[in-house]
Amino acid sequence: MQLFTRSRQLPDPAGSGADPDDGPAGATDHPAEPAEPSKPAEPSVKPPADPEPTLLSRWRRRHPRAARGVTVGTTVLAGALLLFALLVPNRVERFSPEAFLRIPAEGVLLATLLLALPPRPRRITAAVSGVLLGLITVLKIVDMGFHQVLARPFDLVLDWILFDDAAEFVRESFGRGGQVLAVIGVIVLFTALLVLMTLAAVRITDLMVRHRRTAARTTVVLGVVWITCVTLGVRITGVPLATKGTAEMLGNRVEQVRAGLEDARVFEKQAAVDAFAATPPDQLFTGLRGKDVLFTFIESYGRVAIDDPAMAEPIDAALKEGTGTLKAAGFESRSGWLRSPVTGAGSWLAHSTFLSGLWIKNQQRYRSLTTSDRMTLTNYFRKTGDWRTVGIVPGVRRAWPEGKYFGLDHIYDSEHLGYQGPYFSWTPVPDQFTMEAFERLEHGRKDRQPIMAEIILASSHNPWSPNARMIDWDDLGDGSVFHGIKKEGTDPAEVWQDPEKVRTEYRKSIEYSLRSLTEWMERYGDEDTVLVFLGDHQPVPTVTAGDTGKDVPITIVARDEKVLDRVADWNWTDGLKPAPDAPIWGMDEFRDRFMTAYGPRGGKPGGASGATG
């Protein structure tokens, strides 16, 4: 009869200092110490029962081959996810199979580090690396969106406020439900990337440690191959086989952050210089006394509308028609080019650049400007006391505290134009109705003083679907007629599936905006009306076909020939269409050139111009 039972070996709660990642159970990098002889257990102590097998473990036992396949597949997916994070470009147009057939230097260095670290630091480093790779992937995806809309990468210091604008744009274009779905999708994607990338990094680290020799040899070989490819310049269909793109991207972001922080100091110095700050009010705009001066922005009216072969013919026809119609009504016009600080979006930055004479290229500069005492064109008109300054801003649908900065006596937003019709996607009020409302509310009033108006036409705002169309001015009424017109229009969800359809709808919206403006001028303009209209920025890259140019057209229209004589030395083109070789100025230069031309010095050269850096 057996009096003693063999004691059961219990797991070491402290792990006995062994790293389970370093090899099979019981294996270590050093010879195992001799085990102590087992001691007989007390007869009254029962051995612990085997743990209840889980559903997963039972499935693994019953289907070993399938379980093995799942394990291998999961490991392969983990490796692919890490390679995706390291190799995925941050621009949609750079997506190609060759982009993922490269050797990332960051991956080789990370593998070397993980193999060299002791167990505990290695596990921490693997998890932290996974989180960082997840964040880098999120940044690259955000960059893709910014390149598609703004033709530039995301600014880590200055661009956070734009997410609020993006959410608002989605709501206005696709409804509240679309906005909620978009926000939920972004949150889920962000969380999933961080979690999955961390799990993938830990899993691949475990695999390397279990097969340390193979992993070390592979890392050395890849390092040698990477150095060789860099030295010899090896490429696959034009794409370098060896890359350090992620490291370079992060290095550029560090420099971007540094420049963003420094930019505030640079801008403060630029804003302190104003060539007209000491000019007496009676010496301002002497060449425009008694005139109504309208500064009108056409949303997204960029050079592409005039130069692109697919759009040039119909836009050219609209501009020629407008030129001829205005000429028949006694008006002459001159046109040139301005270079906007932005492209794709950011209209308010372009507007403030044009009006302030400073290069407002980011939100930080915009906030600094609108909280400063820098004088704008509108402020200077108001300073004279001879003009009533008004803003017609149908795109504004909520409080706009910055409006006070621009020196406007009265602002008409989308709620104060008397419009009872529908939105056209983002656009709250069609341009033709906006111009008619300006006539009704301000320009057509009797016994008034001259007006200086800032008018922002929004019908050509992205997504350009559905579009409004011109109707008889006498039929506009309260805008209810546009309900039927909207039903005739296109569906933005359908249009945006095809870039060519997007370009077509964009072109139609520009034609509509131009006709709304030129027909208003023909109908209501007179000897004392001076119209300056321009685009604020180029449209998104979907329309520009990747062109990153920032030129926009600008035109001056007047019946009084003395008005145009003052800008004769600008060498602008006759008519509404600027010639390809017409002068190109930075948009920040216009304020001072305009104030000089219409000041006591006439059109003589001079006046300060802002920095375009």
Side-chain angles (χ1 to χ4, degrees), residues 232-568:
L232 300 179
V234 179
R235 292 173 174 266
I236 300 178
T237 64
V239 179
L241 183 60
T243 178
K244 53 179 179 177
T246 299
E248 290 175 345
M249 186 193 80
L250 293 178
N252 291 337
R253 291 314 166 84
V254 171
E255 176 60 25
Q256 182 190 65
V257 169
R258 186 202 64 77
L261 297 175
E262 175 70 12
D263 185 63
R265 185 187 63 81
V266 173
F267 181 70
E268 184 179 358
K269 288 185 176 180
Q270 293 174 352
V273 179
D274 189 341
F276 295 92
T279 303
D282 62 352
Q283 297 297 301
L284 295 169
F285 307 114
T286 55
L288 293 171
R289 297 287 168 160
K291 306 292 185 184
D292 295 317
V293 184
L294 283 56
F295 296 106
T296 306
F297 296 92
I298 298 179
E299 171 67 36
S300 298
Y301 178 34
R303 186 163 189 158
V304 65
I306 293 176
D307 288 353
D308 190 287
M311 292 180 263
E313 186 174 344
I315 294 294
D316 185 59
L319 292 172
K320 283 183 177 178
E321 179 186 347
T323 300
T325 300
L326 290 173
K327 194 174 185 67
F331 294 97
E332 296 293 336
S333 51
R334 304 286 185 274
S335 299
W337 303 102
L338 297 182
R339 181 153 296 152
S340 175
V342 293
T343 183
S347 301
W348 62 97
L349 303 181
H351 301 165
S352 54
T353 295
F354 179 83
L355 295 172
S356 71
L358 295 171
W359 195 248
I360 312 301
K361 61 182 179 179
N362 55 52
Q363 193 66 20
Q364 177 176 268
R365 288 190 169 205
Y366 180 75
R367 287 195 299 265
S368 297
L369 174 70
T370 54
T371 55
S372 72
D373 57 0
R374 171 78 178 193
M375 295 286 284
T376 64
L377 268 177
T378 47
N379 289 123
Y380 276 122
F381 271 97
R382 188 182 189 185
K383 181 180 179 180
T384 66
D386 294 323
W387 278 273
R388 171 173 165 80
T389 58
V390 299
I392 310 295
V393 287
V396 174
R397 294 176 292 277
R398 54 185 176 181
W400 185 39
E402 297 93 338
K404 296 179 180 179
Y405 162 76
F406 291 99
L408 299 170
D409 293 318
H410 192 81
I411 296 174
Y412 297 92
D413 59 22
S414 61
E415 300 298 320
H416 297 89
L417 294 176
Y419 181 66
Q420 300 300 316
Y423 277 29
F424 284 77
S425 290
W426 184 90
T427 306
V429 184
D431 290 348
Q432 186 183 11
F433 189 94
T434 296
M435 295 306 301
E436 179 66 21
F438 169 63
E439 178 65 23
R440 169 171 41 86
L441 296 169
E442 289 287 344
H443 187 263
R445 291 167 56 184
K446 305 298 182 183
D447 302 322
R448 60 171 176 79
Q449 69 181 120
I451 298 170
M452 189 243 79
E454 177 189 356
I455 303 173
I456 301 174
L457 300 181
S459 286
S460 51
H461 193 289
N462 184 340
W464 309 298
S465 173
N467 276 317
R469 60 174 173 79
M470 295 299 295
I471 61 175
D472 191 297
W473 290 80
D474 294 328
D475 295 337
L476 286 171
D478 65 359
S480 298
V481 65
F482 285 101
H483 282 286
I485 294 174
K486 180 179 180 179
K487 291 179 181 178
E488 300 170 2
T490 54
D491 180 357
E494 178 182 341
V495 167
W496 278 82
Q497 294 177 12
D498 183 352
E500 288 307 312
K501 289 183 179 179
V502 174
R503 287 158 58 81
T504 298
E505 295 303 309
Y506 163 77
R507 186 257 301 166
K508 290 179 180 178
S509 72
I510 295 297
E511 290 181 69
Y512 172 73
S513 296
L514 289 170
R515 287 196 167 97
S516 296
L517 195 54
T518 55
E519 287 189 19
W520 180 90
M521 192 68 172
E522 177 195 9
R523 183 179 176 91
Y524 296 116
D526 57 27
E527 187 75 14
D528 292 326
T529 307
V530 178
L531 170 65
V532 180
F533 73 89
L534 66 152
D536 49 15
H537 55 71
Q538 287 261 62
V540 297
T542 302
V543 176
T544 62
D547 181 9
T548 58
K550 296 182 178 181
D551 294 350
V552 298
I554 180 169
T555 299
I556 296 181
V557 183
R559 183 178 287 173
D560 185 350
E561 60 183 28
K562 294 179 182 178
V563 172
L564 294 179
D565 286 345
R566 285 189 170 245
V567 297

Side-chain angles (χ1 to χ4, degrees), residues 29-203:
D29 292 337
H30 304 285
E33 295 293 332
E36 294 183 3
S38 58
K39 298 180 181 180
E42 294 294 332
S44 60
V45 177
K46 294 182 180 180
D50 289 332
E52 183 71 21
T54 64
L55 182 63
L56 179 61
S57 63
R58 288 201 301 268
W59 181 83
R60 286 179 177 276
R61 291 173 184 174
R62 292 175 183 173
H63 307 281
R65 302 183 93 181
R68 176 66 177 169
V70 170
T71 300
V72 173
T74 303
T75 302
V76 171
L77 288 175
L81 189 60
L82 296 179
L83 283 175
F84 177 84
L86 292 168
L87 295 175
V88 63
N90 66 342
R91 301 181 66 165
V92 173
E93 63 270 21
R94 293 179 181 173
F95 258 89
S96 66
E98 294 81 8
F100 297 94
L101 297 177
R102 297 180 295 166
I103 303 173
E106 303 86 359
V108 175
L109 292 174
L110 180 59
T112 302
L113 175 64
L114 291 171
L115 288 171
L117 288 173
R120 184 175 179 81
R122 179 171 61 241
R123 284 191 290 268
I124 295 174
T125 302
V128 171
S129 299
V131 172
L132 291 177
L133 287 173
L135 292 173
I136 289 171
T137 306
V138 170
L139 178 58
K140 289 181 177 181
I141 292 173
V142 173
D143 272 357
M144 291 179 200
F146 269 69
H147 277 292
Q148 287 298 102
V149 176
L150 301 175
R152 63 171 178 82
F154 174 67
D155 191 310
L156 288 166
V157 175
L158 307 172
D159 282 342
W160 294 100
I161 192 173
L162 297 183
F163 288 114
D164 180 57
D165 295 312
E168 183 68 14
F169 170 75
V170 172
R171 186 182 71 81
E172 297 294 348
S173 299
F174 303 103
R176 181 68 176 176
Q179 181 191 40
V180 171
L181 289 176
V183 171
I184 291 174
V186 168
I187 294 173
V188 169
L189 177 62
F190 177 79
T191 304
L193 278 173
L194 293 185
V195 172
L196 292 177
M197 207 66 72
T198 303
L199 293 175
V202 171
R203 187 177 187 88

